[in-house]
Amino acid sequence: MQMPDPNPAILARKAELVARLREVLPADAVISDPAETRAYECDALTAYKCPPLAVVLPASTQEVAEALRICHEMGVPVVPRGAGTSLAGGALPTADSVILGVARMNAVLETDYDNRFIRVQAGRTNLSVTGAVEEQGFFYAPDPSSQLACAIAGNVAMNSGGAHCLKYGVTTNNLMGVTMVLMDGTVIELGGAHLDAGGYDLLGLICGSEGQLGVVTEACLRILHKPEGARPMLIGFDSNEVAGACVSDIIKAGVLPVAIEFMDRPCIRATEDFAHAGYPDCEALLIVEVEGSEAEIDAQLALIEEIARRHDPVELRQSRSEEESARIWLGRKSAFGAMGQINDYMCLDGTIPVSALPHVLRRIGEMSREFGLDVANVFHAGDGNMHPLILYDANRPGDLERCEAFGAEILKLCVEVGGCLTGEHGVGIEKRDLMRCQYGADDLAAQMDVKDVFDPAWLLNPAKVFPLDASSARRAA
Amino acid sequence: MTPRTEAELAAIIREARAPLRIEGGGTRPIGGPTNGARLSTSAMRGIALYEPGALTLVVGAGTPLAEVEAALAAEGQRLAFEPMDHRGLLGTEGTPTIGGVVAANVSGPRRVQVGACRDFLLGVRFVDGAGRIVRSGGRVMKNVTGYDLAKLMAGSYGTLGVLTEVALKVLPAPQAAASLTLRGLDDTRAIAALARALGSPFEVTGAAHLPGKGETLLRIEGFAESVAYRAGRLRELLAGFGTVTVEDDPEAVAACWRDIRDVAAFHGRAGDVWRLSVKPTDAPGIVAGLGGVEALHDWGGGLIWLLAPEGRGQAIRAAVAARGGHATRVRGTGADAFHPRPAPVAALEAGLRRRFDPRGLFNPGLMDGTREGA
Ligand SMILES: Cc1cc2nc3c(=O)[nH]c(=O)nc-3n(C[C@H](O)[C@H](O)[C@H](O)COP(=O)(O)OP(=O)(O)OC[C@H]3O[C@@H](n4cnc5c(N)ncnc54)[C@H](O)[C@@H]3O)c2cc1C
């Protein structure tokens, strides 16, 4: 992975930069000791590491603005950071950059049940947003698996999804407004407690922009009342094709499950060894969850069962109780942990049209043999968001490179069948150099034009999203 | 000019030396006056791909909305965001196109529950002011690859590019629907009743208050037994607000919500029409403070339609600005149809416009407010 060379002029001015930051931030909010900055050298894509020049941990929008103004004046790149759980290297520093972490900004600013929103500082963790409203029976819908740790700031930057987004949508569909600081320190408000934009939909534009257009300091989020209940059903099939066809039929029938999760045989086996959830030994397994009152759940599950029966399932289990529900989810929820036990793994997240599922799974199986690396598939089938987990051994020379090459082939395949490189994790550095597989030169230029408008000096979150050679002229300008 | 292909369109734009007025069906003449040669998308039409099992539709921007809706209905599906038909309200004729729906981010009552047009937009193709053919997003449900230019295009009224193709997420049409009506509530009580219903687990897909008729309405949709069950639960929940009557005749329910969607109560009546997006509980105060206007409330109070005499713009804008939100004049004359944005936001919008339409060809003046400070 190529990163731009650090700017020696910036490295040389470290002391001056730190001194200026200390003038506007409390002493403990500016970290410059290399022993301490190392804690920020990577995110969850741990294969890539680089300690930043310094770290700032502001406590308010005002402090963020002051810190950015100084970095802007001195021409220092800034990498915004939430909780550092990005799987794409989105929060990877460069040696000449300042990490701006929003973790200290975690207050709830306003909850309004009549108007169904909550306003929080952006460093608040995803799960604790729901935590703040659940006593009143409400929840915040987007639920990435990392929700215990990840921050709303990162969710907004990555437009993160979760297991329940088939019904409730991803971050952008639940984000009503933000307070954001531009690189030059200007504070802007986009959206709010009302719906839709009055001019251009800049809120929609900044959601998913990977920290490259501004630093989000506050967010206004839509909250919903919890459903009366939810129960899953487990369906096993003896082929991926049939499981894929069943997903399509369920969707067509007009039931809108909150989740349709898919696991293939390698994944089922690994999780069984690890979690002993009692899954059937079959080629493909679906977990379909529906919501509503008891009677509504029964009716929907009956309909799904009827559809599934037409596809000759090898196993079919409707949950009748909390305990059975937990058992059905147990394996799925421990899938990543199970993989981690076996080996190092790389998690991809390309999205494909649901109809291409059987073809893509077959090709991944073939490529797995060609590359000599095992793959397990576990993913959100309802919306085609794949999560192939490629197993490799970080201690074996050449394995990581082989794994990355294999991963790139899988992502190209996703694009080839009409899908995309990333459904929820973001481009970061990981998929930066694959962007040309999905987008032509003009498509990328149009996106980079947006970057030029928001951050003309290209200081915010450098070297992410766009291939370096595609952006070099703009960065130099 | 009526290009048939994206390439023809790009050539026209590259060669253009004077402003262009971008038109789909011409049924939604919203915005400030704009002159220029008419450029119609109507020949770039047709359904390129429709996969009911994947809930995806890819369609030429000039395709009539009715054609799209018919194709979906044949598979028991629909555009869940329920785009309104502006013809009755704006006194226009013509054939609404799907591109026009996206360009104006047109949604209906169901927006409060399922999201706006922009939330269903999976991808776009467009030609920008330099004649570049640009693609953003795609046809899959989840996609965070690069910046979301599709959202930027939705609601930009053709001022950043001419849409040629849009990809949309569609949803199954429900088996049954019902309307619940409360009568005689004042605005504050009505909005409170709607908030109670929207804050319940019963998945309300329409929440409107029509002061003229003295009716406060809710809609629920889904499988028949589920609709009946939720209607019963909502009736209990709202008992404190009065007697709830339930209508479940499909035709009657559809007609009732079509009228709300299309603001039928204001059709053919003199005056300016304003569309206000506000925090729902602010709505009664805004309307009461204005006086001399007639109001309809949708989205649980979050959307106010106002019929107002000419010249009330400043008062309306001030009332909204004091509380947060925005006001668009969708019918009436003048240059300031769109709500002025604060200076730094206006500067970003102007910057985007310079990038995507460097020669200022597309609908100049239409979204004025972009350049104003406030
Ligand atoms: C075990 C595990 C499971 C996961 N499961 C899911 C999942 O189910 N769905 C999913 O979508 N993702 C998932 N992720 C990925 C990750 O959790 C998400 O991308 C998350 O949103 C990142 O949030 P964060 O606060 O950790 O952000 P960080 O990793 O700190 O940063 C992510 C990006 O956001 C930018 N950023 C951070 N703060 C700001 C700010 N204030 N303003 C502007 N930009 C900012 C950063 O520069 C970076 O580009 C998972 C990760 C792990 C490790």
Side-chain angles (χ1 to χ4, degrees):
Chain A
M1 184 63 53
Q2 192 205 342
M3 292 297 275
D5 292 331
N7 182 339
I10 295 174
L11 298 180
R13 291 175 77 190
K14 173 172 173 178
E16 182 194 346
L17 171 71
V18 169
R20 286 194 63 186
L21 290 168
R22 290 220 161 105
E23 279 167 26
V24 297
L25 294 171
D28 71 340
V30 182
I31 302 171
S32 63
D33 179 349
E36 290 177 67
T37 53
R38 183 151 305 131
Y40 298 85
E41 69 185 357
C42 68
D43 53 28
L45 184 68
T46 51
Y48 298 95
K49 298 190 163 108
C50 174
L53 194 60
V55 177
V56 292
L57 302 171
S60 66
T61 300
Q62 196 50 43
E63 287 185 2
V64 170
E66 307 246 20
L68 283 175
R69 204 168 28 74
I70 289 168
C71 292
H72 184 245
E73 271 171 32
M74 295 184 65
V76 177
V78 172
V79 176
R81 181 177 170 109
T85 68
S86 169
L87 290 166
L92 176 73
T94 54
D96 57 2
S97 70
V98 169
I99 282 272
L100 191 160
V102 293
R104 287 189 182 173
M105 301 176 59
N106 57 13
V108 172
L109 303 170
E110 186 182 2
T111 46
D112 184 334
Y113 299 103
D114 283 338
N115 294 301
R116 298 170 304 285
F117 70 84
I118 180 169
R119 220 156 46 77
V120 297
Q121 284 187 311
R124 193 168 181 88
T125 61
N126 174 294
L127 192 62
S128 71
V129 171
T130 288
V133 296
E134 70 187 343
E135 252 179 39
Q136 300 286 324
F138 282 74
F139 73 112
Y140 173 61
D143 58 344
S145 320
S146 51
Q147 67 181 156
L148 189 62
C150 68
I152 293 300
N155 294 176
V156 171
M158 291 311 198
N159 188 15
S160 302
H164 293 79
C165 58
L166 185 57
K167 177 169 175 189
Y168 294 111
V170 295
T171 302
T172 193
N173 311 115
N174 293 276
L175 179 68
M176 300 172 69
V178 294
T179 301
M180 185 170 103
V181 188
L182 303 179
M183 186 62 214
D184 66 3
T186 307
V187 179
I188 62 170
E189 305 268 345
L190 301 173
H194 56 278
L195 297 175
D196 295 344
Y200 293 157
D201 188 355
L202 300 186
L203 183 64
L205 182 62
I206 67 101
C207 189
S209 65
E210 306 204 10
Q212 293 198 306
L213 303 184
V215 175
V216 174
T217 57
E218 294 174 16
C220 182
L221 307 167
R222 179 170 88 133
I223 51 173
L224 299 169
H225 197 286
K226 280 192 209 151
E228 288 181 275
R231 261 190 285 134
M233 157 170 210
L234 178 152
I235 318 167
F237 294 100
D238 57 14
S239 89
N240 290 328
E241 275 87 349
V242 178
C246 184
V247 170
S248 250
D249 284 356
I250 291 170
I251 290 173
K252 265 195 290 197
V255 219
L256 191 62
V258 267
I260 306 182
E261 298 288 301
F262 190 119
M263 292 166 71
D264 70 357
R265 184 188 283 277
C267 189
I268 300 167
R269 287 223 168 125
T271 54
E272 264 312 290
D273 291 345
F274 179 72
H276 312 291
Y279 285 177
D281 187 28
C282 58
E283 272 315 304
L285 190 149
L286 298 179
I287 298 173
V288 187
E289 179 155 285
V290 298
E291 289 179 345
S293 66
E294 281 301 305
E296 288 175 300
I297 291 172
D298 282 339
Q300 293 176 77
L301 289 182
L303 179 60
I304 292 167
E305 173 159 351
E306 185 194 317
I307 294 163
R309 292 241 180 256
R310 281 183 240 143
H311 293 279
D312 288 328
V314 296
E315 170 108 15
L316 205 151
R317 241 184 259 167
Q318 269 193 39
S319 157
R320 303 253 159 237
S321 66
E322 293 256 324
E323 202 208 333
E324 282 177 30
S325 298
R327 269 246 301 292
I328 288 180
W329 276 111
L330 177 65
R332 169 65 184 90
K333 290 198 167 154
S334 40
F336 285 58
M339 294 301 154
Q341 286 284 306
I342 304 179
N343 240 327
D344 300 300
Y345 67 84
M346 177 164 128
C347 173
L348 305 175
D349 89 313
T351 305
I352 56 168
V354 180
S355 49
L357 209 59
H359 169 70
V360 170
L361 288 176
R362 195 173 335 109
R363 280 293 298 137
I364 289 178
E366 288 164 12
M367 287 192 271
S368 161
R369 287 186 286 281
E370 286 160 29
F371 281 90
L373 291 172
D374 285 335
V375 189
N377 283 289
V378 45
F379 56 94
H380 316 300
D383 45 36
N385 191 184
M386 313 263 300
H387 284 316
L389 303 172
I390 308 178
L391 303 179
Y392 71 102
D393 181 351
N395 295 323
R396 199 161 61 205
D399 239 32
L400 173 65
E401 290 71 22
R402 217 147 33 100
C403 172
E404 286 183 335
F406 181 12
E409 288 310 310
I410 293 180
L411 294 183
K412 285 181 200 163
L413 173 65
C414 291
V415 173
E416 234 168 70
V417 301
C420 66
L421 298 172
T422 168
E424 57 181 18
H425 294 168
V427 178
I429 54 158
E430 193 199 17
K431 281 149 278 192
R432 184 189 75 193
D433 296 328
L434 291 171
M435 284 291 271
R436 287 198 180 91
C437 306
Q438 187 171 333
Y439 291 119
D442 282 347
D443 306 333
L444 286 177
Q447 294 181 29
M448 290 189 290
D449 281 348
V450 172
K451 171 73 170 167
D452 281 341
V453 171
F454 280 77
D455 177 22
W458 282 65
L459 291 175
L460 265 177
N461 211 5
K464 317 286 158 59
V465 184
F466 304 108
L468 292 182
D469 57 336
S471 63
S472 57
R474 294 170 194 257
R475 284 184 284 126
Chain B
M1 287 165 286
T2 312
R4 280 160 305 162
T5 64
E6 209 166 51
E8 268 179 42
L9 171 66
I12 290 173
I13 291 171
R14 276 196 296 268
E15 283 151 28
R17 293 292 169 268
L20 298 165
R21 187 164 50 85
I22 321 300
E23 195 175 285
T27 68
R28 308 181 203 271
I30 299 165
T34 180
N35 47 24
R38 178 172 167 276
L39 174 62
S40 169
T41 63
S42 61
M44 295 183 290
R45 60 186 285 177
I47 292 174
L49 176 142
Y50 175 28
E51 277 184 19
L55 304 176
T56 29
L57 174 79
V58 181
V59 59
T63 312
L65 180 60
E67 191 177 319
V68 170
E69 288 178 332
L72 296 178
E75 294 287 342
Q77 299 189 333
R78 66 179 180 185
L79 297 174
F81 55 92
E82 203 178 8
M84 81 175 275
D85 183 340
H86 278 89
R87 285 176 292 189
L89 187 65
L90 303 184
T92 50
E93 285 167 18
T95 308
T97 62
I98 191 71
V101 167
V102 172
N105 188 30
V106 182
S107 317
R110 206 174 289 108
R111 193 262 174 268
V112 71
Q113 160 81 12
V114 303
C117 172
R118 54 88 100 173
D119 292 295
F120 289 83
L121 189 60
L122 304 175
V124 293
R125 294 179 67 96
F126 63 93
V127 180
D128 79 357
R132 279 192 304 201
I133 296 174
V134 178
R135 195 167 54 94
S136 175
R139 54 162 287 208
V140 284
M141 293 294 168
K142 274 171 83 182
N143 189 344
V144 297
T145 322
Y147 298 167
D148 193 347
L149 301 187
K151 296 256 179 346
L152 179 62
M153 296 306 290
S156 67
Y157 288 84
T159 60
L160 296 174
V162 182
L163 291 169
T164 58
E165 188 177 87
V166 297
L168 292 161
K169 175 182 174 179
V170 301
L171 282 181
Q175 189 187 53
S179 287
L180 279 62
T181 310
L182 283 157
R183 290 192 170 73
L185 299 180
D186 67 26
D187 291 356
T188 305
R189 289 282 290 160
I191 302 303
L194 298 179
R196 178 78 64 84
L198 286 164
S200 78
F202 305 120
E203 300 191 356
V204 169
T205 67
H209 172 56
L210 316 177
K213 282 176 130 178
E215 290 180 352
T216 305
L217 292 140
L218 295 164
R219 177 175 59 186
I220 38 182
E221 300 171 291
F223 290 105
E225 302 80 25
S226 163
V227 167
Y229 165 76
R230 287 181 283 142
R233 293 300 304 271
L234 282 165
R235 183 185 265 170
E236 288 163 25
L237 188 72
L238 299 174
F241 291 93
T243 310
V244 178
T245 54
V246 179
E247 170 66 76
D248 60 5
D249 172 58
E251 306 255 299
V253 175
C256 163
W257 290 94
R258 189 166 52 240
D259 282 354
I260 293 169
R261 183 194 74 180
D262 296 342
V263 203
F266 293 172
H267 290 190
R269 299 183 48 199
D272 287 355
V273 174
W274 287 81
R275 184 178 180 279
L276 279 52
S277 179
V278 299
K279 184 166 84 179
T281 51
D282 285 343
I286 290 173
V287 174
L290 281 170
V293 297
E294 204 177 304
L296 299 177
H297 303 266
D298 195 357
W299 299 353
L303 173 65
I304 310 173
W305 289 100
L306 286 183
L307 187 66
E310 231 176 284
R312 297 298 306 277
Q314 265 189 336
I316 292 170
R317 290 256 158 83
V320 171
R323 295 169 173 92
H326 50 87
T328 311
R329 198 191 53 242
V330 298
R331 196 177 79 192
T333 51
D336 56 347
F338 286 84
H339 203 95
R341 273 75 83 195
V345 174
L348 291 173
E349 293 195 4
L352 291 168
R353 183 117 159 95
R354 273 195 300 276
R355 289 284 170 158
F356 285 86
D357 182 17
R359 293 176 292 158
L361 291 176
F362 297 154
N363 294 338
L366 188 141
M367 282 190 88
D368 263 8
T370 306
R371 271 161 278 159
E372 288 171 25

